[in-house]
Amino acid sequence: MNKLVFFGGKGGVGKTTSSSAYAYYCAEKGEKTLLVSTDPAHSLCDIFERKIGSKLTEIKENLFSLEIDPEEESQAYIRNIKRNMKDIVSPVIVKEIERQLDAAAVSPGSDESAVFDKLMEIIIDYQKDYDRIVIDTAPTGHTLRLLSLPELLGGWMDRLIEKRMKAMELYEMATREDKKMKNVIEKDPVLSKLNERKRKMEQAREILTDGDLVSFVFVLNPEKLPIEETKKAVDTLEKYKIYVNTLIINRILPDNVEGKFWENRKKLENKYLKEIEEYFSNKNLIKIPLIDEDVKIDNLKHISKYFVEISD
Ligand SMILES: Nc1ncnc2c1ncn2[C@@H]1O[C@H](COP(=O)(O)OP(=O)(O)OP(=O)(O)O)[C@@H](O)[C@H]1O
Ligand SMILES: [Mg+2]
């Protein structure tokens, strides 16, 4: 596994459980490990039985964690633009830009891009200080959008920049006499933010598609729908040049089940396991059994022992 390890998969399959177990495993091995959650539902605190939040928290020796709060990030992002802008543009323009920013803040996707920004910032800032950064992501749809954002937003950013430049020519015409105003336009906060964003997106794309830096792990359960979804998701990610090398098959029933009902379930499960093994024969497959209790920090080690085979 590489230094950055993303865990993705459908809702409820065990992403938080396996990413926590893997981070725990790395920390036990002596690697300084950072576990980051990008999931708005904040489930790391359930496993570690403590509040984590957006401040770096030490969980145990070598294991640190933080959770990104999409709403908080989105608001901070907008607040920051507003603050920058107040110093340099006229009150009329401030009003108009504020209106646009507020509209953007509630538009779909703005939380996701704020989370993405924050995640990239964390990766860039902490990369040097940690041996391993493990990222617990939100369910598939969300994750795929998150990871394909740099690709999608690249073109979109260019269009926004162009549009903004055009709009500014109008501003410029209206204030032709006013040198100060022209200067203000050159320092346009929206343009500089858009440009900064674009640079960040390019940097993010470089990071995410760096096969020597990033590993992407997909979690699934041996059932029909998760298999179909995983096939599609793996294809989509690969289209964006993000390669999935490892799959975790989580919640595997014990071999010695009793009773007709469980025997039938086990038979079905074996059929799906075989399908996974055949279809994904070129991937590392890690099998994690269903345990008979809730996953908490005390029993994470039972799950983390299954990672041994992909340790390096
Ligand atoms: N191997 C396992 N044995 C027993 N319980 C498990 C196992 N893996 C996960 N669970 C339980 O299943 C539930 C869902 O797991 P988890 O929160 O890790 O999934 P998730 O993929 O992160 O979900 P979400 O998509 O909501 O973020 C949790 O209650 C967890 O304790
Ligand atoms: Mg989760």
Side-chain angles (χ1 to χ4, degrees), residues 53 57 67 70 132 196 221 282 290:
T57 307
E67 293 175 319
R132 191 77 71 177
E196 186 190 320
N221 302 136
N282 58 343
L290 179 71

Side-chain angles (χ1 to χ4, degrees), residues 29 46 113 154 158 174 181 191 196 205 225 238 244 256:
K29 260 202 319 188
D46 292 341
S113 41
D158 285 339
M181 193 62 205
L191 257 189
E196 186 190 320
R205 187 178 348 197
L225 276 180
E238 295 190 345
V244 178
N256 52 348

Side-chain angles (χ1 to χ4, degrees), residues 10-17 19 37 39 41-44 47 136-139:
K10 200 172 151 42
V13 289
K15 297 175 292 298
T16 303
T17 305
S19 54
S37 169
D39 185 354
H42 300 299
S43 31
L44 290 182
I47 292 190
D136 170 28
T137 70

Side-chain angles (χ1 to χ4, degrees), residues 77-242:
Y77 184 74
I78 303 283
R79 239 188 352 258
N80 189 24
I81 300 182
K82 283 185 179 169
R83 194 178 325 115
N84 288 346
M85 174 176 76
K86 285 228 164 71
D87 303 335
I88 41 176
V89 295
S90 80
V92 182
I93 301 181
V94 167
K95 274 247 149 51
E96 173 55 20
I97 300 177
E98 278 195 345
R99 203 184 54 76
Q100 287 182 21
L101 285 173
D102 288 336
V106 293
S107 68
S110 86
D111 275 9
E112 274 156 57
S113 41
V115 167
F116 191 81
D117 267 15
K118 185 65 188 176
L119 178 62
M120 285 301 141
E121 194 185 302
I122 291 169
I123 289 174
I124 291 161
D125 288 352
Y126 289 103
Q127 222 185 113
K128 280 190 258 27
D129 303 333
Y130 287 85
D131 302 311
R132 191 77 71 177
I133 301 182
V134 179
I135 300 127
D136 170 28
T137 70
T140 312
H142 188 101
T143 308
L144 289 182
R145 267 209 309 278
L146 199 71
L147 293 173
S148 55
L149 268 178
E151 194 70 33
L152 298 176
L153 288 187
W156 186 60
M157 279 297 138
D158 285 339
R159 280 202 301 284
L160 278 182
I161 289 172
E162 198 187 302
K163 227 174 145 183
R164 181 73 189 160
M165 301 256 261
K166 283 210 177 110
M168 275 174 25
E169 278 166 24
L170 295 177
Y171 282 142
E172 202 171 356
M173 267 161 56
T175 58
R176 201 182 296 259
E177 307 307 318
D178 188 349
K179 276 217 174 74
K180 217 167 117 202
M181 193 62 205
K182 207 171 162 210
N183 192 25
V184 156
I185 290 165
E186 274 165 13
K187 288 192 196 142
D188 180 61
V190 177
L191 257 189
S192 72
K193 276 287 158 193
L194 286 175
N195 274 318
E196 186 190 320
R197 194 88 196 250
K198 192 171 171 236
R199 262 198 316 277
K200 271 195 193 163
M201 287 293 163
E202 281 161 1
Q203 204 177 4
R205 187 178 348 197
E206 263 168 44
I207 292 177
L208 291 175
T209 53
D210 183 345
D212 295 326
L213 181 66
V214 180
S215 296
F216 200 92
V217 177
F218 229 86
V219 186
L220 77 160
N221 302 136
E223 289 162 11
K224 192 172 171 51
L225 276 180
I227 296 178
E228 293 309 316
E229 184 159 328
T230 303
K231 287 179 184 171
K232 256 192 247 148
V234 168
D235 280 353
T236 309
L237 282 168
E238 295 190 345
K239 224 181 274 159
Y240 290 110
K241 302 199 166 44
I242 296 168

